[in-house]
Amino acid sequence: MSESLPSLLLIGCGQMGGALLEAWIGRGLAPSVVIDRHRETLPAPHRVVSSLENIPADFVPAAVILAVKPQKAQPVMEELAAHRPDIASSAVIVSVMAGLTTASIAETLRSQAPDATPAIVRAMPNTPSSIGRGMTGLYRAPNVTEAQKALCDTLLSAVGATVWVDEEDQINAVTAISGSGPAYIFLLAELLEKAACGLGLPDEVARLLARKTVSGAGELLEQSPEDAAELRRRVTSPGGTTAAAIAVLNAPANWPSNIPDAVAAARHRARELAS
Ligand SMILES: NC(=O)c1ccc[n+]([C@@H]2O[C@H](COP(=O)([O-])OP(=O)(O)OC[C@H]3O[C@@H](n4cnc5c(N)ncnc54)[C@H](OP(=O)(O)O)[C@@H]3O)[C@@H](O)[C@H]2O)c1
C-alpha cells in the first residue's frame, strides 16, 4: 500500500489509540512504532514494542501520539524525554488526552530533556473516528509550525472531520460537545429502545427501530444542507404525533433543557482535569 500518512510513535493503544491506529494503517501509514503491552505483532512495516526503552535507536517519527489515560501520562512522558530527547525535540507531540494542557506536557518533557523545545498539539477526537466518521477539535501551541499543523491535520482528517480552535480552553468545550457527544446520542438510542419495549414492541423490533432511527437521522443531517432545527420542523406537523412528543420533551424540567447544563458539566470536568 502506498504511504500517505507520516511515520508515528503511538503510545497507548486502547479504545482511542487502537481505533486511530486501525484507521491510519488502513490509509497507508509510513513505517511506525506502537508501544503496546498486549499486542505482539502489527502488519509490516510497522513494529510493536512493549516499552519506550525498546524503541529502535534509528527510528525517529514525524509525530508522537500520546493516547494513554491522563492520570498515567506523567511517567510515560518523562520516560520518553529521558530515553529519546531527540524525538521529544524533533517530532510534533500530539496529545489526545483530555485535560492535560500544552504547558503541562511541555514542562513534564522538559523536566527530563531541558534542552528540548517540544512542539505540542492537542487533539480531541471521538469514537466514530474508528469508522472514519470522527470529529476532531485541535489546538496548537504557539511554537508549532505551519508544516507541523498541516501534518496533524492530515493525520486526523484520515479519521473524519477536523476543526482548529484558537484558544486552548476551547478544547474543553470541544470535549464537552463532540468528544463526549457520542455518549449522549447512544443514550438517546438506549432510551428510545427501552421506551419502544415499554410500548409493547418485541425486543428485537425495539432495537432495530431505535438504531435505524438514530443512524438514519444522523445520516440525513450529514447529507442535508438544512439546519437540524429545520429538519426537526419538517417532521413536526402542527397538532400531529411528533408535536405531541416534542411538547413533552420541551417541558422545562425535561431533557432538552438539561442539554446546556449537561455540556457545561462536561466542560467543567475537563477544566478540573486540566488544573
Ligand atoms: N475514548 C474516547 O472516546 C476518547 C475521546 C477523546 C480522547 N480520549 C483520550 O484518549 C486517551 C486514552 O483513552 P482510552 O479511552 O483509549 O483509554 P484506554 O482504553 O484505557 O487506553 C489507554 C491505553 O494506554 C495504555 N498504556 C497505559 N500506560 C502505558 C504505557 N506506559 N505505555 C504504553 N501504553 C500504556 C493502556 O494499556 P494497559 O492496559 O497495558 O495499561 C491502554 O491500552 C485518554 O487520555 C482520553 O482522554 C478518549
Side-chain angles (χ1 to χ4, degrees):
M1 172 172 307
S2 65
E3 291 156 15
S4 57
L5 297 174
S7 63
L8 304 176
L9 170 63
L10 172 65
I11 309 177
C13 203
Q15 300 277 352
M16 185 45 71
L20 292 170
L21 178 67
E22 201 175 316
W24 287 331
I25 288 180
R27 283 161 183 76
L29 188 61
S32 292
V33 170
V34 174
I35 300 178
D36 189 339
R37 302 186 279 219
H38 308 289
R39 194 185 297 244
E40 288 187 356
T41 56
L42 274 176
H46 310 296
R47 288 172 281 186
V48 60
V49 296
S50 58
S51 73
L52 282 149
E53 288 172 15
N54 297 323
I55 301 171
D58 61 353
F59 177 71
V60 183
V64 176
I65 314 295
L66 290 172
V68 299
K69 291 278 190 200
Q71 54 274 26
K72 300 242 176 111
Q74 183 149 349
V76 170
M77 293 189 287
E78 285 173 354
E79 223 183 309
L80 170 69
H83 284 291
R84 294 298 302 268
D86 59 324
I87 294 180
S89 284
S90 65
V92 58
I93 312 282
V94 184
S95 164
V96 304
M97 301 180 295
L100 295 188
T101 62
T102 52
S104 70
I105 295 169
E107 190 181 312
T108 305
L109 293 169
R110 287 170 59 96
S111 71
Q112 302 301 312
D115 295 335
T117 48
I120 299 165
V121 166
R122 285 181 66 185
M124 182 48 59
N126 61 12
T127 50
S129 301
S130 63
I131 55 163
R133 297 287 299 271
M135 178 69 244
T136 303
L138 297 122
Y139 167 79
R140 64 166 164 165
N143 68 328
V144 172
T145 64
E146 287 298 325
Q148 288 170 325
K149 179 185 177 197
L151 183 154
C152 296
D153 208 78
T154 301
L155 270 177
L156 276 310
S157 301
V159 294
T162 59
V163 65
W164 289 80
V165 295
D166 294 331
E167 289 169 34
E168 185 158 5
D169 183 54
Q170 291 173 331
I171 281 288
N172 295 318
V174 170
T175 305
I177 301 293
S178 55
S180 303
Y184 314 153
I185 308 299
F186 298 142
L187 176 61
L188 175 61
E190 204 181 316
L191 294 173
L192 269 181
E193 185 178 331
K194 278 194 189 133
C197 291
L199 295 180
L201 292 167
D203 288 359
E204 66 278 15
V205 174
R207 180 179 154 89
L208 185 68
L209 293 178
R211 289 171 79 102
K212 291 294 182 189
T213 301
V214 168
S215 62
E219 193 58 43
L220 179 60
L221 184 60
E222 170 85 11
Q223 290 188 20
S224 171
E226 306 294 348
D227 286 348
E230 175 55 25
L231 292 174
R232 173 175 58 75
R233 276 193 288 274
R234 287 186 189 170
V235 189
T236 316
S237 319
T241 56
T242 313
I246 298 279
V248 174
L249 288 172
N250 273 339
N254 291 346
W255 71 262
S257 356
N258 292 333
I259 294 283
D261 291 344
V263 297
R267 186 178 66 171
H268 177 72
R269 182 68 187 131
R271 284 178 171 164
E272 268 181 352
L273 289 170
S275 59

